[in-house]
């Protein structure tokens, strides 16, 4: 279970969710109106409407939709949507988990990661190889 949110963070998340719901409903109304219109002439959509149509192509993600995984000293964190990946990464040693977060979620190079963690780049390579093997094994088992 995650820690309770501060009041400001809670208000921001509520507003974020509310705004996305408004946008989604507006897009649905525009699409429904376009489908039910018997007229075959092309309709001109305002910039606001065009933006809303484009947003339908994306899937919204909310903080409650996934899991947050923390690395060393809570400096490096990531948001994971897949439950099996979360539990597989949670089983990894803290430094290995932090290395994966730095690499894939924060886009750091092996040299930067090695410098931050105080190890060699070859160690980073070996950790990544072993981590992939363990994560793959957990996925093949299919259990969280």
């Amino acid at each position: 279970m995650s820690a309770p949110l501060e009041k400001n963070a809670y208000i921001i998340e509520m507003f974020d969710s509310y705004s996305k719901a408004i946008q989604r409903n507006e897009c649905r109304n525009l699409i429904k109106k376009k489908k039910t219109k018997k007229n075959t002439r092309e309709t001109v959509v305002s910039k606001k409407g065009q933006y809303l149509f484009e947003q339908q192509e994306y899937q919204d993600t909310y903080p409650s939709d996934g899991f947050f995984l923390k690395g060393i000293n809570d400096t490096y964190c990531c948001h994971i949507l897949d439950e099996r990946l979360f539990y597989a990464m949670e089983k990894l040693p803290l430094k290995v988990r932090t290395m994966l977060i730095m690499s894939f979620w924060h886009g750091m190079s092996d040299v930067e990661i090695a410098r931050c963690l105080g190890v060699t780049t070859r160690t980073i390579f070996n950790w990544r190889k072993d981590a992939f093997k363990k994560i793959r094994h957990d996925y093949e088992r299919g259990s969280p």
Side-chain angles (χ1 to χ4, degrees), residues 19-30:
S19 300
K20 289 176 181 177
I22 294 290
Q23 289 178 351
R24 182 178 57 244
N25 291 339
E26 181 69 21
C27 286
R28 287 178 181 164
N29 291 341
L30 289 171

Side-chain angles (χ1 to χ4, degrees), residues 3-140:
L5 298 172
E6 293 180 17
K7 185 176 180 180
N8 289 341
Y10 180 72
I11 291 171
I12 290 171
E13 286 188 20
M14 281 180 49
F15 178 75
D16 184 51
S17 177
Y18 174 75
S19 300
K20 289 176 181 177
I22 294 290
Q23 289 178 351
R24 182 178 57 244
N25 291 339
E26 181 69 21
C27 286
R28 287 178 181 164
N29 291 341
L30 289 171
I31 290 170
K32 192 183 295 182
K33 186 186 250 184
K34 187 176 179 181
K35 285 182 179 178
T36 58
K37 196 168 190 175
K38 302 271 181 185
N39 195 349
T40 57
R41 285 185 270 161
E42 186 175 324
T43 58
V44 178
V45 179
S46 66
K47 287 186 179 185
K48 177 184 173 188
Q50 184 63 33
Y51 170 77
L52 293 174
F53 278 125
E54 291 171 1
Q55 292 304 309
Q56 282 293 309
E57 298 174 8
Y58 305 106
Q59 183 175 357
D60 294 335
T61 57
Y62 301 98
S64 61
D65 289 344
F67 303 93
F68 285 97
L69 195 61
K70 296 180 180 182
I72 294 176
N73 299 332
D74 299 339
T75 306
Y76 297 100
C77 301
C78 66
H79 183 229
I80 300 176
L81 298 176
D82 185 17
E83 184 177 5
R84 288 192 301 170
L85 178 61
F86 171 77
Y87 287 116
M89 285 188 63
E90 194 176 45
K91 291 178 186 176
L92 296 173
L94 185 59
K95 281 191 172 186
V96 175
R97 183 184 334 147
T98 303
M99 178 269 308
L100 287 176
I101 292 170
M102 293 167 119
S103 179
F104 292 101
W105 278 270
H106 293 280
M108 296 174 72
S109 69
D110 287 354
V111 174
E112 293 170 325
I113 296 169
R115 193 175 306 127
C116 288
L117 297 178
V119 295
T120 64
T121 54
R122 183 65 190 180
T123 302
I124 298 296
F125 175 81
N126 290 334
W127 282 356
R128 184 177 293 119
K129 182 181 67 163
D130 293 340
F132 287 164
K133 187 186 295 184
K134 289 176 184 176
I135 291 171
R136 191 177 309 117
H137 175 67
D138 285 345
Y139 258 83
E140 288 173 356

